């Protein structure tokens, strides 16, 4: 047998193993509300090739490829346990088991590592929490996709309605089509049908009522059977407490804004300050995509090295508030053609850092350049540290943060030497550290942080909504603090 035959046989064997994992992952998700992860990446509803690629991606961050032959025994061990709702990372199980010297079997080790999700300690499954989307633009539709995706277990969050202004003929058909096909993020994973007579979009069995209104005061959500709901405002029209309070109508319990909040509205970056949200807080903001991209790595660097001052320069993809061709715009420069120019503009991300990291005394400044790409941006974070270090130490530290820390869902890490912006479309992390571009000299560190300013940010929004709704399930093994 030739070497090529050996390689092909090995591939076919791994394909067979990955194929056997799919029904186990699906059953755990549907019946027990358990999400199986691999280095913080969900394996639910993934194809054979996607599961194999996710295993192989481990070499980018952990330094070596992870094989399905290593993770399958831990997945099988999970099926023997009385698990409650949780997220379980089988990559972390495999890697921590490898370094454990107590001689435990895979079954014994797994039972111990996920003990908090079993027996008397496990969380009971809750009734689904109603969610309403106010606005159905770029972020609104991606949040909708995520909510539909996460409804697979029948618990957690349930998208009940979207509120939009009445358009022209076939309004609901056109909105459903925009949900079904996206020029950047691809096809919707599932089926979508339209019930025009009842003004509903049915996506993967989820009935979503389309409510037409020009102002929040026009809607009584209880008339649609909606109660105790979390409303996600994707319009950005109201950003202070007074304006957002208009949404607190019958049937709505909390309001989450997908733009930086003003005044006393809490700006929340999941993973950093979401645990400071007061239980009775009804109005909060998820800050901006750029704030979510820079605050987690900024916190990580401040915790380890201290930060005296910093500057963030964002190279940001163009957005819908810019013009396709030169035309009048309220803001300076943004009236110039977005797909034809680099456009210098302002960013509020630096000033928003103070709200998310109030204990950080360092002064952070910021500016932004809009560039002719439709999605994925990069933040260049230039920091003066409180102590000297070197590039290797910083990269080892950030790699470990991305793998084992409480920030591992926010910070990703890549060592790919030829990475470009398109590679990060669909990333579910708030930011991705580019190892190859990182520069460190003495007390100065420059980090290059990629982020999908649409999808990665939408994932952060969903995490905040899960937290305030009480359906943010614990992850096992527990992150290293």
């Amino acid at each position: 047998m030739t070497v090529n035959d050996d390689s092909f046989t090995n591939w076919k064997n791994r394909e067979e193993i990955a194929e056997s994992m799919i029904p186990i992952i699906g059953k755990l998700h549907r019946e027990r509300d358990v999400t199986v992860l691999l280095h913080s990446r969900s394996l639910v509803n993934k194809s054979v090739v996607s599961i194999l690629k996710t295993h192989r991606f481990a070499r980018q961050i952990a330094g070596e490829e992870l094989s399905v032959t290593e993770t399958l025994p831990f997945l099988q061990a999970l099926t023997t346990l009385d698990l409650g709702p949780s997220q379980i990372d089988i990559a972390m199980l495999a890697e921590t088991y490898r370094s454990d010297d107590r001689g435990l079997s895979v079954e014994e080790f797994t039972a111990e590592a996920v003990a908090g999700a079993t027996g008397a300690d496990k969380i009971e499954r809750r009734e689904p929490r109603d969610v309403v989307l106010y606005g159905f633009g770029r972020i609104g539709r991606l949040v909708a996709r995520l909510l539909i995706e996460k409804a697979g277990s029948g618990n957690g969050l349930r998208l009940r309605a979207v509120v939009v202004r009445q358009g022209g003929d076939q309004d609901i058909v056109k909105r459903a089509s925009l949900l079904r096909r996206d020029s950047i993020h691809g096809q919707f994973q599932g089926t979508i049908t339209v019930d025009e007579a009842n003004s509903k979009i049915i996506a993967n069995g989820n009935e979503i009522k389309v409510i037409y209104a020009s102002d929040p005061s026009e809607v009584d959500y209880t008339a649609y059977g909606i109660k105790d709901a979390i409303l996600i405002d994707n319009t950005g029209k109201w950003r202070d407490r007074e304006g957002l309070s208009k949404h607190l109508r019958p049937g709505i319990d909390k309001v989450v804004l997908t733009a930086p909040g003003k005044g006393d509205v809490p700006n929340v970056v999941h993973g950093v300050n979401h645990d400071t949200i007061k239980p009775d807080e009804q109005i909060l903001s998820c800050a901006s995509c750029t704030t979510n991209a820079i605050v987690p790595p900024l916190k990580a660097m401040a915790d380890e090295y201290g930060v005296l001052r910093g500057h963030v320069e964002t190279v940001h993809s163009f957005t819908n508030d810019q013009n396709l061709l030169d035309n009048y715009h309220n803001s300076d420069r943004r009236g110039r053609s977005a797909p034809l120019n680099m456009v210098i503009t302002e960013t509020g991300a630096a000033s928003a850092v103070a709200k998310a990291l109030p204990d950080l005394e360092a002064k952070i400044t910021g500016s932004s350049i809009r560039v002719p790409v439709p999605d994925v941006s990069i933040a260049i974070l230039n920091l003066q540290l409180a102590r000297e270090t070197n590039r290797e130490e910083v990269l080892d530290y950030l790699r470990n943060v991305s793998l084992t820390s409480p920030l591992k869902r926010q910070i990703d890490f890549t060592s790919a030497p030829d990475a470009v912006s398109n590679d990060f479309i669909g990333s579910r992390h708030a930011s991705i550290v580019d190892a190859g571009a990182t520069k460190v000299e003495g007390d100065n560190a420059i980090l290059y942080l990629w982020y999908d300013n649409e999808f990665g940010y939408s994932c952060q929004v969903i995490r905040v909504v899960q937290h305030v709704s009480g359906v943010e399930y614990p992850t096992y093994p527990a992150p290293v603090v």
Side-chain angles (χ1 to χ4, degrees):
M1 183 177 286
T2 66
V3 172
N4 287 338
D5 287 337
D6 283 344
S7 297
F8 185 67
T9 300
N10 178 264
W11 169 259
K12 299 301 287 184
N13 288 339
R14 287 187 290 134
E15 268 191 326
E16 185 177 357
I17 293 171
E19 194 171 61
S20 73
M21 298 172 83
I22 292 174
I24 302 174
I25 294 167
K27 190 172 183 180
L28 285 169
H29 185 60
R30 286 190 309 274
E31 296 183 2
R32 305 191 196 182
D33 217 0
V34 172
T35 299
V36 177
L37 308 174
L38 192 96
H39 284 316
S40 300
R41 292 163 170 79
S42 173
L43 296 183
V44 176
N45 291 329
K46 294 298 187 289
S47 67
V48 167
V49 170
S50 180
I51 290 173
L52 291 173
K53 286 182 69 175
T54 305
H55 277 75
R56 181 162 173 74
F57 182 77
R59 79 191 193 285
Q60 292 287 349
I61 44 181
E64 59 182 342
E65 185 173 342
L66 189 64
S67 172
V68 287
T69 59
E70 293 179 81
T71 57
L72 178 62
F74 295 93
L75 185 60
Q76 292 170 328
L78 293 176
T79 65
T80 67
L81 302 173
D82 179 26
L83 291 169
S86 55
Q87 300 186 104
I88 299 177
D89 195 319
I90 56 175
M92 294 307 299
L93 283 175
E95 291 186 2
T96 51
Y97 179 71
R98 193 185 299 158
S99 60
D100 189 89
D101 58 3
R102 293 175 294 164
L104 299 177
S105 67
V106 166
E107 292 75 16
E108 291 169 334
F109 181 85
T110 302
E112 179 183 276
V114 303
T118 60
D121 295 326
K122 71 180 181 182
I123 296 172
E124 293 302 321
R125 299 177 77 172
R126 300 179 176 92
E127 288 297 312
R129 184 74 175 269
D130 289 352
V131 178
V132 173
L133 298 179
Y134 199 95
F136 207 45
R138 296 298 302 156
I139 299 301
R141 291 194 298 274
L142 290 178
V143 167
R145 285 188 174 200
L146 287 164
L147 288 167
I148 294 163
E149 170 192 300
K150 293 178 183 299
S153 64
N155 288 267
L157 304 173
R158 179 172 60 171
L159 177 57
R160 295 295 307 282
V162 296
V163 183
V164 293
R165 291 182 176 180
Q166 177 73 59
D169 293 341
Q170 292 193 308
D171 179 274
I172 191 171
V173 173
K174 291 179 179 179
R175 293 186 189 279
S177 182
L178 286 168
L179 179 61
R180 184 182 292 115
R181 303 178 185 89
D182 189 283
S183 300
I184 295 170
H185 300 284
Q187 298 277 343
F188 174 80
Q189 296 301 304
T191 62
I192 293 176
T193 56
V194 175
D195 180 355
E196 285 191 87
N198 294 299
S199 192
K200 289 182 179 179
I201 296 172
I202 298 96
N204 290 358
N206 295 267
E207 293 190 1
I208 306 161
K209 180 71 175 179
V210 179
I211 301 170
Y212 294 106
S214 298
D215 188 82
S217 62
E218 299 176 10
V219 189
D220 177 354
Y221 295 95
T222 59
Y224 305 98
I226 296 169
K227 59 181 182 179
D228 194 32
I230 298 173
L231 183 144
I232 305 174
D233 184 330
N234 307 290
T235 68
K237 183 176 181 180
W238 305 278
R239 292 170 60 183
D240 60 11
R241 187 172 295 276
E242 181 182 359
L244 292 168
S245 293
K246 296 179 180 181
H247 290 303
L248 294 173
R249 305 280 299 154
I252 302 300
D253 178 56
K254 295 181 186 294
V255 179
V256 175
L257 172 66
T258 62
K262 295 182 177 180
D264 66 343
V265 175
N267 279 255
V268 179
V269 175
H270 190 275
V272 175
N273 67 335
H274 67 277
D275 56 354
T276 65
I277 302 172
K278 298 175 182 177
D280 60 350
E281 179 61 74
Q282 288 189 287
I283 295 173
L284 54 94
S285 157
C286 290
S288 71
C289 56
T290 300
T291 303
N292 276 266
I294 65 173
V295 166
L298 181 56
K299 173 177 168 45
M301 293 297 288
D303 287 348
E304 179 67 17
Y305 299 102
V307 172
L308 301 181
R309 64 173 292 116
H311 176 81
V312 60
E313 188 77 35
T314 67
V315 182
H316 199 291
S317 58
F318 61 76
T319 63
N320 263 337
D321 86 313
Q322 293 173 258
N323 293 327
L324 284 174
L325 296 172
D326 290 1
N327 205 354
Y328 175 80
H329 196 290
N330 286 330
S331 297
D332 295 339
R333 307 192 204 226
R334 290 199 194 187
R336 303 299 297 279
S337 171
L340 296 178
N341 293 291
M342 294 189 292
V343 179
I344 298 174
T345 187
E346 70 284 343
T347 175
S351 59
V353 167
K355 279 194 169 185
L357 288 174
D359 295 334
L360 183 71
E361 297 180 358
K363 179 177 176 57
I364 306 295
T365 58
S367 53
S368 180
I369 302 172
R370 297 286 180 94
V371 294
V373 294
D375 188 32
V376 179
S377 304
I378 191 166
I380 305 167
L381 190 57
N382 192 332
L383 303 175
Q384 182 186 352
L385 306 177
R387 69 176 176 89
E388 293 193 353
T389 181
N390 58 65
R391 183 171 179 272
E392 183 179 359
E393 181 188 343
V394 169
L395 289 179
D396 283 346
Y397 169 65
L398 291 175
R399 181 187 291 108
N400 288 331
V401 166
S402 75
L403 287 172
T404 63
S405 82
L407 289 171
K408 66 180 183 179
R409 296 171 72 194
Q410 283 70 43
I411 300 175
D412 203 1
F413 187 94
T414 181
S415 57
D418 55 354
V420 294
S421 60
N422 266 7
D423 298 334
F424 305 104
I425 292 176
S427 169
R428 295 182 180 233
H429 289 78
S431 63
I432 306 100
V433 176
D434 191 312
T438 300
K439 293 173 173 56
V440 180
E441 185 174 345
D443 64 355
N444 178 242
I446 304 175
L447 307 182
Y448 286 73
L449 308 166
W450 297 101
Y451 58 109
D452 184 329
N453 48 278
E454 294 186 333
F455 198 72
Y457 175 69
S458 296
C459 290
Q460 283 287 88
V461 172
I462 289 294
R463 290 171 189 138
V464 170
V465 173
Q466 286 177 317
H467 177 74
V468 299
S469 67
V471 295
E472 185 181 32
Y473 300 138
T475 301
Y476 299 95
V480 177
V481 179

